[in-house]
Short mmCIF file of all heavy atoms in Angstrom, two decimals:
data_model
loop_
_atom_site.label_atom_id
_atom_site.label_comp_id
_atom_site.label_asym_id
_atom_site.label_seq_id
_atom_site.Cartn_x
_atom_site.Cartn_y
_atom_site.Cartn_z
N VAL A 1 101.85 111.43 89.10
CA VAL A 1 102.25 112.80 89.60
C VAL A 1 102.52 112.73 91.14
O VAL A 1 102.03 112.00 91.80
CB VAL A 1 100.74 113.56 89.59
CG1 VAL A 1 101.13 114.95 90.13
CG2 VAL A 1 100.43 113.77 88.09
N PHE A 2 103.74 113.46 91.34
CA PHE A 2 104.22 113.54 92.71
C PHE A 2 103.56 114.80 93.33
O PHE A 2 103.85 115.98 93.06
CB PHE A 2 105.69 113.63 92.62
CG PHE A 2 106.38 113.54 94.03
CD1 PHE A 2 106.73 112.23 94.46
CD2 PHE A 2 106.64 114.61 94.82
CE1 PHE A 2 107.30 112.11 95.73
CE2 PHE A 2 107.19 114.40 96.06
CZ PHE A 2 107.53 113.27 96.52
N SER A 3 102.60 114.65 94.03
CA SER A 3 101.65 115.68 94.56
C SER A 3 102.30 116.66 95.54
O SER A 3 103.20 116.21 96.23
CB SER A 3 100.38 115.07 95.08
OG SER A 3 100.56 114.45 96.28
N GLU A 4 101.65 117.85 95.79
CA GLU A 4 102.06 118.71 96.62
C GLU A 4 101.76 118.29 98.11
O GLU A 4 102.53 118.54 99.06
CB GLU A 4 101.37 120.03 96.44
CG GLU A 4 101.79 121.23 97.35
CD GLU A 4 103.17 121.58 97.27
OE1 GLU A 4 103.72 121.45 96.09
OE2 GLU A 4 103.78 122.14 98.27
N GLU A 5 100.73 117.52 98.20
CA GLU A 5 100.36 116.87 99.63
C GLU A 5 101.58 115.98 99.98
O GLU A 5 101.93 115.87 101.27
CB GLU A 5 99.18 116.13 99.57
CG GLU A 5 98.62 115.52 100.94
CD GLU A 5 97.39 114.78 100.88
OE1 GLU A 5 96.77 114.83 99.67
OE2 GLU A 5 97.01 114.24 101.85
N CYS A 6 102.06 115.11 98.99
CA CYS A 6 103.08 114.22 99.43
C CYS A 6 104.42 115.11 99.68
O CYS A 6 105.15 114.78 100.64
CB CYS A 6 103.52 113.28 98.16
SG CYS A 6 104.77 112.12 98.51
N ARG A 7 104.70 116.15 98.94
CA ARG A 7 105.87 116.91 99.29
C ARG A 7 105.79 117.62 100.49
O ARG A 7 106.70 117.66 101.25
CB ARG A 7 105.92 118.08 98.05
CG ARG A 7 107.29 118.81 98.08
CD ARG A 7 107.40 119.60 96.84
NE ARG A 7 107.74 118.82 95.54
CZ ARG A 7 106.96 118.60 94.68
NH1 ARG A 7 105.69 119.06 94.72
NH2 ARG A 7 107.20 117.90 93.63
N GLN A 8 104.64 118.00 100.87
CA GLN A 8 104.40 118.65 102.25
C GLN A 8 104.73 117.54 103.44
O GLN A 8 105.27 117.88 104.44
CB GLN A 8 103.14 119.25 102.50
CG GLN A 8 102.90 120.47 101.66
CD GLN A 8 101.43 120.91 101.69
OE1 GLN A 8 100.56 120.29 102.35
NE2 GLN A 8 101.21 122.15 100.88
N ALA A 9 104.31 116.41 103.13
CA ALA A 9 104.52 115.25 104.20
C ALA A 9 105.92 115.08 104.32
O ALA A 9 106.55 114.73 105.40
CB ALA A 9 103.68 114.02 103.82
N VAL A 10 106.67 115.02 103.20
CA VAL A 10 108.10 114.81 103.22
C VAL A 10 108.81 115.77 104.00
O VAL A 10 109.68 115.54 104.87
CB VAL A 10 108.61 114.71 101.75
CG1 VAL A 10 110.13 114.73 101.65
CG2 VAL A 10 108.07 113.36 101.07
N ASP A 11 108.44 117.12 103.47
CA ASP A 11 109.05 118.19 104.45
C ASP A 11 108.72 118.23 105.91
O ASP A 11 109.57 118.58 106.79
CB ASP A 11 108.58 119.57 103.77
CG ASP A 11 109.03 119.82 102.40
OD1 ASP A 11 110.08 119.15 102.01
OD2 ASP A 11 108.36 120.54 101.64
N ARG A 12 107.60 117.83 106.24
CA ARG A 12 107.15 117.69 107.65
C ARG A 12 108.10 116.61 108.47
O ARG A 12 108.51 117.01 109.50
CB ARG A 12 105.73 117.33 107.86
CG ARG A 12 105.33 117.21 109.33
CD ARG A 12 103.64 117.17 109.37
NE ARG A 12 103.19 115.96 108.97
CZ ARG A 12 103.11 114.82 109.72
NH1 ARG A 12 103.68 114.78 110.98
NH2 ARG A 12 102.59 113.74 109.17
N VAL A 13 108.18 115.48 107.81
CA VAL A 13 109.11 114.56 108.43
C VAL A 13 110.63 114.97 108.53
O VAL A 13 111.18 114.88 109.66
CB VAL A 13 109.09 113.21 107.57
CG1 VAL A 13 110.15 112.20 108.02
CG2 VAL A 13 107.67 112.66 107.70
N ALA A 14 111.12 115.60 107.46
CA ALA A 14 112.57 116.13 107.57
C ALA A 14 112.70 117.17 108.54
O ALA A 14 113.65 117.19 109.30
CB ALA A 14 112.80 116.72 106.13
N LYS A 15 111.73 118.02 108.73
CA LYS A 15 111.80 119.15 109.79
C LYS A 15 111.86 118.55 111.13
O LYS A 15 112.24 119.29 112.13
CB LYS A 15 110.71 120.26 109.52
CG LYS A 15 111.02 121.02 108.31
CD LYS A 15 109.84 122.08 107.98
CE LYS A 15 110.09 122.87 106.75
NZ LYS A 15 108.96 123.87 106.48
N ALA A 16 111.06 117.43 111.31
CA ALA A 16 111.01 116.78 112.58
C ALA A 16 112.18 116.07 112.90
O ALA A 16 112.27 115.52 113.98
CB ALA A 16 109.70 115.94 112.72
N GLY A 17 113.06 115.91 112.02
CA GLY A 17 114.41 115.22 112.22
C GLY A 17 114.44 113.88 111.84
O GLY A 17 115.40 112.99 112.12
N GLY A 18 113.30 113.43 111.12
CA GLY A 18 113.22 112.13 110.64
C GLY A 18 113.65 111.99 109.21
O GLY A 18 114.01 112.87 108.58
N THR A 19 113.63 110.67 108.69
CA THR A 19 113.97 110.31 107.33
C THR A 19 112.61 109.86 106.70
O THR A 19 111.97 108.91 107.11
CB THR A 19 114.86 109.25 107.21
OG1 THR A 19 116.16 109.64 107.89
CG2 THR A 19 115.25 108.96 105.81
N PRO A 20 112.24 110.62 105.59
CA PRO A 20 110.97 110.10 104.97
C PRO A 20 111.20 109.21 103.79
O PRO A 20 112.20 109.28 103.14
CB PRO A 20 110.50 111.52 104.27
CG PRO A 20 111.78 112.36 104.09
CD PRO A 20 112.71 111.86 105.01
N LEU A 21 110.50 108.14 103.77
CA LEU A 21 110.46 107.12 102.79
C LEU A 21 109.06 107.16 102.05
O LEU A 21 108.08 106.97 102.64
CB LEU A 21 110.68 105.67 103.26
CG LEU A 21 112.08 105.32 103.67
CD1 LEU A 21 112.05 103.88 104.14
CD2 LEU A 21 113.06 105.53 102.51
N VAL A 22 109.04 107.38 100.78
CA VAL A 22 107.79 107.43 100.05
C VAL A 22 107.41 106.07 99.50
O VAL A 22 108.35 105.37 98.99
CB VAL A 22 107.89 108.46 98.87
CG1 VAL A 22 106.66 108.47 98.09
CG2 VAL A 22 108.32 109.86 99.44
N VAL A 23 106.22 105.71 99.56
CA VAL A 23 105.79 104.44 99.06
C VAL A 23 104.70 104.64 97.83
O VAL A 23 103.82 105.56 97.86
CB VAL A 23 105.00 103.71 100.14
CG1 VAL A 23 104.56 102.27 99.59
CG2 VAL A 23 105.95 103.41 101.30
N ALA A 24 104.91 103.90 96.85
CA ALA A 24 104.03 104.05 95.64
C ALA A 24 103.66 102.65 95.15
O ALA A 24 104.37 101.68 95.36
CB ALA A 24 104.75 104.66 94.52
#
């Protein structure tokens, strides 16, 4: 499951001008 918490972390990084990389 790709959780809502992970999606929020991805959005936070993008809004800060960064590039999010997800680790599984």
Side-chain angles (χ1 to χ4, degrees):
V1 177
F2 193 86
S3 67
E4 183 62 27
E5 185 181 357
C6 183
R7 188 172 287 108
Q8 290 176 358
V10 168
D11 290 342
R12 178 168 73 82
V13 171
K15 289 178 180 178
T19 301
L21 283 184
V22 177
V23 180

